[in-house]
Amino acid sequence: MAGAPPTCRNGLLGGAEVVRVLLADPLAHGEDFCAALAAGVPDLATWCWPDEPVNGSYDVLAAWQLPDAFPPLPDSLALVFCFGAGADHLLADPRIPSHVPIVRLIDGGQAAELADYVCHAAFAFLLDDQKYRIDQARGVWAPVFARRRTRAEARVAVLGLGPIGMTAATALAAAGFRVHAWSRTPRQVKGIETFSGLERLGDCVDGADVLVNLLPLAPETAGILAAPLFARLAPGAYLVSLGRGKHLDEAALREALDMGQIGCAFIDAFAEEPLPSTHWMWSHPRIRLTPHIGGLPTPEGAARSLAAAIDALQQGAPLPGLVRTAAPTPS
Ligand code: GLV
């Protein structure tokens, strides 16, 4: 698919007949993704970075994060498509000019997969799973016969009610858990008790057995998973940290784990990735870590989302998944 020369006519993409897309994310380099994108966008030319168009000019850049060595972005760039749900890396990148809008991927498959991750952790809580993992590692046979919480008794608090948080919260509710959910602005969701605004955050998580973070990273959500919130949870609660590493106060988590206030932390996103080999989380008996694999975009869903963004750009229609509007073009 690489290499088709651009030709011109009057249109919204600076007159390009062929939409030139530079794919700068390894997940976008697969054949399934490229085939689905080609099916969704007629007149498409793609390059998989580090391959680039010979003249360095393209219309759309699809990336989750720009590598340090990424070449300067061309004047022709009309759209940046974030190849993931969280666009924080791109939003903070000064190399992306402010007149270029940024949209993020919207993929029901990604949301469903993250909902599976969350349900897996909630069921692990019901089984007191981490205690038995620790016992097994020590060769200890120590059953606890006290009655455990049922799904209907266990309370799960979900932070974030965007498309992913909504999917996870409704999956938990459908599985029979009591679900509270918090968002920065008010949302109503059937079967879920919702809370909004920073002043209601504590009420949302009060007495929760499982705390799930699916918030986007923003100045007001950085460091949100910290001691004051942990203190509101039921003792021995499970934490499921799926947003960004910077949401989490790691020292506060370590203390809460060591005090038993948090019984287990499922963590998929870290302040530093890859997680340094000497980091305490690797060996803490109450940490379950995964290397940022929660909710990988599906090739078809990602391609559909990018095709929809390109179509909207060409039509001059509202951009789906817009996370940063275009500032006026500098004169
Ligand atoms: C994953 O972290 C994403 O942003 O989708």
Side-chain angles (χ1 to χ4, degrees):
M1 298 214 325
T7 53
C8 287
R9 69 163 184 225
N10 292 329
L12 286 160
L13 280 175
E17 181 174 305
V18 172
V19 182
R20 300 159 302 175
V21 181
L22 182 62
L23 301 166
D25 188 292
L27 293 175
H29 295 180
E31 277 176 22
D32 290 349
F33 172 82
C34 289
L37 184 61
V41 186
D43 303 321
L44 174 75
T46 59
W47 292 262
C48 291
W49 194 76
D51 286 347
E52 311 177 64
V54 179
N55 61 6
S57 189
Y58 51 90
D59 309 299
V60 177
L61 170 64
W64 184 67
Q65 183 172 21
L66 298 188
D68 290 343
F70 204 72
L73 304 182
D75 291 344
S76 57
L77 185 65
L79 178 71
V80 172
F81 176 84
C82 173
F83 210 90
D88 43 297
H89 293 118
L90 299 175
L91 288 169
D93 197 321
R95 291 171 291 179
I96 303 175
S98 60
H99 65 271
V100 177
I102 301 178
V103 299
R104 70 179 184 81
L105 178 148
I106 300 172
D107 174 14
Q110 183 185 33
E113 202 191 273
L114 277 164
D116 287 347
Y117 193 125
V118 169
C119 289
H120 166 72
F123 282 112
F125 167 80
L126 290 181
L127 293 174
D128 209 358
D129 189 50
Q130 199 61 19
K131 169 194 154 36
Y132 294 112
R133 284 185 168 239
I134 293 170
D135 286 354
Q136 180 181 348
R138 292 178 181 153
V140 171
W141 182 273
V144 173
F145 294 120
R147 190 178 159 275
R148 291 196 295 258
R149 294 251 219 303
T150 62
R151 290 186 216 176
E153 289 163 348
R155 186 186 301 165
V156 185
V158 177
L159 308 186
L161 271 178
I164 292 177
M166 188 76 84
T167 305
T170 48
L172 288 160
F177 290 95
R178 283 170 63 202
V179 183
H180 282 187
W182 182 85
S183 51
R184 287 175 291 178
T185 51
R187 298 272 157 86
Q188 301 297 326
V189 192
K190 199 161 166 268
I192 292 168
E193 195 172 338
T194 56
F195 300 76
S196 61
L198 274 178
E199 66 290 354
R200 301 297 315 283
L201 181 61
D203 295 337
C204 174
V205 308
D206 214 19
D209 299 300
V210 182
L211 172 62
V212 177
N213 179 41
L214 286 166
L215 286 166
L217 183 65
E220 63 277 30
T221 64
I224 202 166
L225 301 176
L229 211 58
F230 298 156
R232 303 286 294 259
L233 301 173
Y238 276 27
L239 172 69
V240 191
S241 184
L242 298 174
R244 288 286 182 263
K246 287 185 180 156
H247 285 128
L248 178 64
D249 178 338
E250 292 183 2
L253 172 64
R254 193 173 192 176
E255 193 176 339
L257 288 167
D258 292 344
M259 302 292 290
Q261 175 59 12
I262 293 186
C264 176
F266 283 76
I267 307 193
D268 187 53
F270 303 86
E272 188 180 350
E273 294 182 0
L275 187 67
S277 59
T278 53
H279 199 285
W280 63 270
M281 284 190 196
W282 281 110
S283 53
H284 196 289
R286 294 194 175 272
I287 296 262
R288 299 272 285 273
L289 65 82
T290 43
H292 207 140
I293 46 78
L296 293 179
T298 61
E300 298 74 17
R304 247 193 321 272
S305 183
L306 176 51
I310 291 172
D311 186 56
L313 190 70
Q314 289 177 309
Q315 307 298 328
L319 292 167
L322 189 68
V323 288
R324 189 183 81 185
T325 47
T329 319
S331 49

